């Protein structure tokens, strides 16, 4: 996730990934969704946006079309992967089913209507009876924006500090007791202030390369102790803060 808008050559990243085909299997983050909305004039460009290499490119339509056909989650080789988080009651099969609902909408004829109604913090939690734009918005917010939630699954989006920085009553989504994905190895990014986390059933991979930290990858082994962390030190592409 966040293939774009975190460094100076967003178009180059997309072209490289497209050329790699199945050798690089991607999923979408909040900045990728922001690209789609900005490309359609539905969101104003942010002060730190680096999307112009895409928006002004001759192959702009090809790049945008490729992005909107990527999933929000993958479950492959025993690893459940998403950009940000999942709600406590979602099982791995449910995560994939819900992510597929968003992917179907993004890649279908009504994708502009979806983008127009995608933004907002409400509803703050999941109900099985949710329908329409509210349903899709909760899925998107969890998979691409979530850091903290209550044990009951109420999301909070203002806090961006480390795992101890949530408001009273809120936990990092992965520390909620009884989380339905707790027995599955999950891998995610998004939370640069959290940094590298290596637990038996959890991998946090955003180590702040955009701020001058490292770009991190993990080579998986059969057992947690066989995992290999691979890091490349990066020059800062942006400064922290608004």
């Amino acid at each position: 996730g966040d293939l774009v808008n975190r460094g100076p050559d967003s178009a180059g990243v997309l072209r490289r990934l497209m050329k790699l085909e199945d050798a690089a299997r991607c999923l979408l983050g909040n900045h990728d969704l922001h690209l789609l909305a900005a490309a359609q004039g539905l969101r104003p460009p942010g002060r730190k946006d680096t999307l112009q290499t895409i928006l002004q490119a001759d192959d702009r339509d090809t790049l945008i079309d490729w992005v909107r056909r990527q999933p929000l989650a993958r479950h492959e080789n025993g690893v459940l992967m998403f950009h940000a988080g999942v709600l406590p009651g979602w099982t791995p099969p449910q995560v994939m089913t819900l992510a597929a609902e968003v992917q179907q909408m993004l890649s279908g004829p009504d994708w502009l209507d979806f983008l127009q109604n995608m933004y907002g913090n409400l509803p703050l939690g999941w109900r099985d009876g949710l329908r329409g734009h509210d349903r899709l918005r909760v899925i998107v917010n969890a998979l691409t924006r979530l850091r903290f939630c209550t044990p009951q699954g109420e999301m909070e989006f203002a806090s961006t500090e480390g795992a101890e920085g949530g408001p009273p009553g809120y936990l990092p989504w992965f520390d909620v007791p009884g989380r339905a994905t707790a027995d599955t190895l999950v891998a995610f990014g998004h939370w640069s202030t959290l940094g590298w986390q290596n637990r038996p059933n959890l991998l946090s991979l955003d180590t702040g390369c955009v701020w001058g930290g490292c770009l991190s990858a993990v080579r998986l082994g059969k057992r947690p102790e066989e995992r290999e962390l691979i890091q490349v030190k990066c020059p800062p592409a942006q400064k922290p803060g608004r």
Side-chain angles (χ1 to χ4, degrees), residues 33-34 36-46 49 115 118-120:
L33 295 175
H34 172 64
L36 297 178
Q40 303 307 313
L42 301 175
R43 297 290 286 186
D49 278 1
L115 290 174
M118 177 179 65
Y119 286 94

Side-chain angles (χ1 to χ4, degrees), residues 204-217:
S204 170
L205 291 167
D206 189 337
T207 48
C209 67
V210 67
W211 319 120
C214 289
L215 182 66
S216 296

Side-chain angles (χ1 to χ4, degrees), residues 82-87 90 95 139-147 173-174 188-190:
F82 39 81
H83 179 63
V86 292
L87 291 176
W90 289 355
V95 171
I139 299 169
V140 167
N141 283 344
L143 292 175
T144 70
R145 298 177 60 203
L146 181 62
R147 293 184 180 92
W173 63 265
F174 48 82
F188 64 101
H190 184 59

Side-chain angles (χ1 to χ4, degrees), residues 22 29 34 37 51 55-56 66 75 84 101 118-119 125-126 128 137 141 180 188 214 216 218 225-226 231 234 237:
D22 276 351
H34 172 64
L51 301 176
L55 300 179
Q56 298 175 0
W66 182 85
H75 195 182
E101 291 184 26
M118 177 179 65
Y119 286 94
W126 176 256
D128 288 338
R137 194 179 304 117
N141 283 344
F188 64 101
C214 289
S216 296
V218 173
E225 59 269 23
E226 295 176 338
Q231 294 187 312
C234 300

Side-chain angles (χ1 to χ4, degrees), residues 154-175:
E154 180 178 300
M155 296 182 283
E156 191 272 342
F157 301 110
S159 305
T160 60
E161 300 304 317
E164 305 302 321
Y170 288 80
L171 300 169
W173 63 265
F174 48 82
D175 282 337

